[in-house]
Amino acid sequence: MTSLARLTRKTLTATNYHHLLRRTFATESAAAKTTTASPPITPSPDRVKWDYRGQRQIIPLGQWLPKIAVDAYVAPNVVLAGQVNVLDGSSVWNGAVLRGDLNKITLGFCSNIQEKSVVHAAWSSPTGLPAETMIERFVTVGAYCLLRSCTIEPECIIGQHSILMEGSLVETHSILEAGSVLPPGRRIPTGELWAGNPARFVRKLTHEETLEIPKLAVAINDLSKEYFNEYLPYSTIYLEVEKMMKSHGISI
Amino acid sequence: MGTLGRAIYVVGSWIRGAGQAVDRAGCALQATHLFEEKVSRHRTLMNLFDKDPVVDKDAFVAPGASVIGDVQVGRGSSIWYGCVLRGDVNSISVGSGTNIQDNALVHVAKSNISGNVMPTTIGNNVTVGHGAVLHGCTVEDEAFVGMGATLLDGAYVEKNAMVAAGALVRQNTRIPFGEVWGGNPAKFMRKLTEEEIAFISQSATNYSNLAMVHAAENAKGFEEIELEKSLRKKFARKDEEYDSMIGVVRETPEELTLPDNILPEKAQKSPA
């Protein structure tokens, strides 16, 4: 058994050495060709490949602590960092990242940020107005949207994979179709439908369509309540962690 | 007093045991729909047999990001939350001072239609915006890839070039020095002014500094997090005006103060 282990260790280290050597030579030649030589990489012996805690959901920075309302559903995959305020009834779905490290992010009542979106706030906005990202009530932000320092007024729908750049303003009761890109400082007037890259006016919304917008937000709110009920108020993971520590002989 | 403390500890353990028994009863009631939480199996740095990611000690890799396979990350670079750098079929090398922002995806192509295989190379001081998708492309130093941009196989972004937000850069497109390309498919839009070019390197520096703050925060152990929670509660009600009125000088503890260099005005200028 031990001889087998020794054999495997020998073969593994041999292949590792060859690969590393080949790779260092390859990077050096590549570096000389396209980019200026970057300083050699010194890996840290302390860097862990795996942290049993996974990624923390709420990351306070200095004095800023992200606040989640008690009935807001925030998926466990989500990362909230810095000054983030998730108000009542809103939901942040899986994989989203809300990074309020340079400026504030507010998610209003009954709004939702769907899967894998990134909401960030720049330090300053080209319009000169405060550069915080403000998402007001009853807004539906579709999946994989990238929002940066924008203001979305009440009752809007932002389509999937849309990109809202610094200083953009989406006024009430407007809809942005999927994949639209708002250049910095673009304003979408009330009650209109815009689409495209860069976003262009398509048509005005009828009154019936305008009434549907908050209904969509409320429907997603109801859905989020089902998800919310699946999770216990406090995770029971600490039991697993204690078992793991005991098995490794670490005292608690 | 030792025995009293010990007695309270034992009573606490009894209550915990009782609570766990009640939890087990609840689990039994849930039967088939029961979900047992397990420790997170997410691997931040994952190796595929002998392809090991090599990450510099000064680089920030968010715990939720995935750096898989043959990836090299240089000094002062940052890989933000939710990124996936998949060096499984070829190599990815990220230079120094580069930032790969949240939810970006960097992947490599093993075979594509024209038959060439390219490793993905990202130079030094590059800013890759949120949600960008880089597939088998090369980005030279000090370039800027906007949010949500998609760079397909063989795309080549030269020094100081900018890919606008939401752009789709098709295969084997070369974006020359100092130009802005955007749209779907990506076309030449305009040339970058001098101050915009300077801004790119400045923003890379700002991001490196911000990454240090995030790195420090994510690396904190349990004790430090709890300590800061209580400090934050204590200092939440601090009001400077009132303090100066009653003649008290109360300084926020250093654990709660962020370094100055993450704010653009106060950041050091990067060497041009």
Side-chain angles (χ1 to χ4, degrees):
Chain A
M1 208 54 193
T2 41
S3 53
L4 180 66
R6 233 180 291 141
L7 185 66
T8 12
R9 211 178 314 139
K10 245 190 258 175
T11 41
L12 279 176
T13 39
T15 31
N16 270 345
Y17 174 69
H18 281 146
H19 267 266
L20 263 168
L21 206 58
R22 217 181 302 143
R23 241 191 295 147
T24 33
F25 284 140
T27 26
E28 279 182 39
S29 54
K33 259 188 279 177
T34 54
T35 64
T36 49
S38 40
I41 301 177
T42 46
S44 156
D46 293 331
R47 189 178 286 279
V48 285
K49 283 191 171 178
W50 171 75
D51 187 341
Y52 74 92
R53 300 176 296 172
Q55 169 79 58
R56 269 156 55 197
Q57 190 186 49
I58 298 180
I59 303 197
L61 294 174
Q63 267 194 317
W64 303 320
L65 178 68
K67 272 200 325 205
I68 308 180
V70 287
D71 55 353
Y73 167 64
V74 177
N77 278 11
V78 173
V79 176
L80 304 179
Q83 291 165 297
V84 181
N85 217 338
V86 177
L87 300 182
D88 300 65
S90 49
S91 42
V92 185
W93 296 78
N94 293 285
V97 177
L98 274 69
R99 239 189 343 130
D101 42 17
L102 296 173
N103 227 315
K104 241 184 352 159
I105 296 180
T106 313
L107 183 61
F109 173 76
C110 216
S111 295
N112 55 81
I113 296 193
Q114 292 182 13
E115 287 85 349
K116 281 221 150 265
S117 302
V118 178
V119 182
H120 188 215
W123 173 247
S124 61
S125 160
T127 57
L129 295 171
E132 52 154 5
T133 304
M134 178 74 178
I135 303 176
E136 307 238 12
R137 55 185 200 274
F138 292 113
V139 171
T140 304
V141 176
Y144 209 71
C145 281
L146 307 166
L147 271 57
R148 204 171 137 88
S149 275
C150 53
T151 305
I152 307 181
E153 293 194 356
E155 304 187 9
C156 290
I157 296 182
I158 311 288
Q160 304 190 342
H161 200 29
S162 40
I163 302 178
L164 274 70
M165 299 197 66
E166 285 94 330
S168 21
L169 170 66
V170 182
E171 293 194 355
T172 58
H173 293 137
S174 47
I175 297 184
L176 272 181
E177 282 212 7
S180 50
V181 175
L182 289 186
R186 163 71 59 207
R187 179 182 81 101
I188 310 281
T190 321
E192 298 188 3
L193 172 67
W194 285 52
N197 173 357
R200 289 190 192 83
F201 173 76
V202 176
R203 61 178 174 88
K204 280 203 178 303
L205 291 175
T206 65
H207 188 64
E208 286 77 30
E209 289 171 335
T210 308
L211 291 177
E212 286 294 319
I213 300 177
K215 286 193 200 156
L216 176 64
V218 171
I220 297 184
N221 179 21
D222 285 335
L223 187 64
S224 76
K225 290 219 183 332
E226 271 189 45
Y227 281 74
F228 191 84
N229 289 331
E230 276 300 314
Y231 292 92
L232 292 172
Y234 291 100
S235 163
T236 51
I237 203 72
Y238 70 100
L239 297 169
E240 300 291 322
V241 173
E242 283 183 3
K243 262 188 244 171
M244 201 174 71
M245 290 171 109
K246 205 182 284 185
S247 71
H248 285 270
I250 307 169
S251 68
I252 306 160
Chain B
M1 265 315 138
T3 41
L4 179 62
R6 200 175 161 70
I8 294 177
Y9 183 81
V10 171
V11 170
S13 320
W14 289 346
I15 296 178
R16 281 189 73 186
Q20 285 180 24
V22 175
D23 184 55
R24 281 195 292 272
C27 291
L29 278 178
Q30 282 192 332
T32 43
H33 302 299
L34 170 69
F35 177 74
E36 279 184 2
E37 295 200 14
K38 294 276 178 276
V39 168
S40 162
R41 290 184 68 178
H42 172 84
R43 302 191 209 179
T44 310
L45 267 58
M46 179 168 139
N47 63 328
L48 294 170
F49 186 49
D50 54 351
K51 297 184 202 174
D52 229 352
V54 180
V55 180
D56 190 88
K57 64 173 159 28
D58 286 331
F60 163 56
V61 179
S66 311
V67 179
I68 301 169
D70 196 348
V71 182
Q72 294 186 321
V73 179
R75 276 195 66 195
S77 289
S78 39
I79 315 279
W80 291 80
Y81 303 101
C83 284
V84 179
L85 271 72
R86 241 187 339 129
D88 42 10
V89 292
N90 213 321
S91 71
I92 297 180
S93 76
V94 176
S96 59
T98 302
N99 55 83
I100 314 260
Q101 294 180 22
D102 320 85
N103 274 349
L105 167 65
V106 183
H107 188 217
V108 266
K110 181 167 190 176
S111 57
N112 61 16
I113 308 174
S114 48
N116 341 345
V117 185
M118 12 234 342
T120 301
T121 312
I122 303 179
N124 307 323
N125 296 319
V126 176
T127 304
V128 176
H130 316 292
V133 177
L134 275 66
H135 197 274
C137 56
T138 309
V139 182
E140 277 193 7
D141 297 353
E142 318 227 335
F144 189 101
V145 177
M147 315 197 267
T150 307
L151 273 69
L152 297 179
D153 298 11
Y156 196 104
V157 181
E158 286 189 14
K159 202 163 182 306
N160 281 328
M162 184 187 278
V163 180
L168 172 69
V169 180
R170 295 189 61 237
Q171 281 89 344
N172 297 316
T173 314
R174 194 174 179 106
I175 300 183
F177 169 90
E179 297 189 4
V180 180
W181 281 48
N184 176 352
K187 293 196 183 64
F188 171 74
M189 279 176 36
R190 60 181 177 88
K191 282 202 175 306
L192 278 176
T193 64
E194 282 294 314
E195 52 173 55
E196 285 177 332
I197 294 180
F199 170 73
I200 294 179
S201 39
Q202 180 60 42
S203 89
T205 317
N206 291 346
Y207 251 93
S208 285
N209 297 331
L210 195 56
M212 290 296 112
V213 176
H214 279 258
E217 182 58 45
N218 272 303
K220 287 193 177 136
F222 179 67
E223 304 293 324
E224 295 158 299
I225 298 175
E226 293 296 308
L227 172 70
E228 290 196 2
K229 256 195 221 172
S230 52
L231 274 177
R232 222 170 268 124
K233 246 188 247 177
K234 185 171 153 201
F235 280 87
R237 309 236 172 255
K238 180 182 97 142
D239 183 15
E240 276 183 29
E241 280 185 41
Y242 179 68
D243 282 351
S244 64
M245 196 176 77
I246 63 173
V248 164
V249 173
R250 214 195 312 257
E251 269 190 29
T252 18
E254 58 170 82
E255 290 100 341
L256 294 186
T257 38
L258 291 175
D260 263 345
N261 62 1
I262 59 171
L263 309 177
E265 294 101 52
K266 301 179 193 162
Q268 303 150 331
K269 292 289 173 196
S270 62

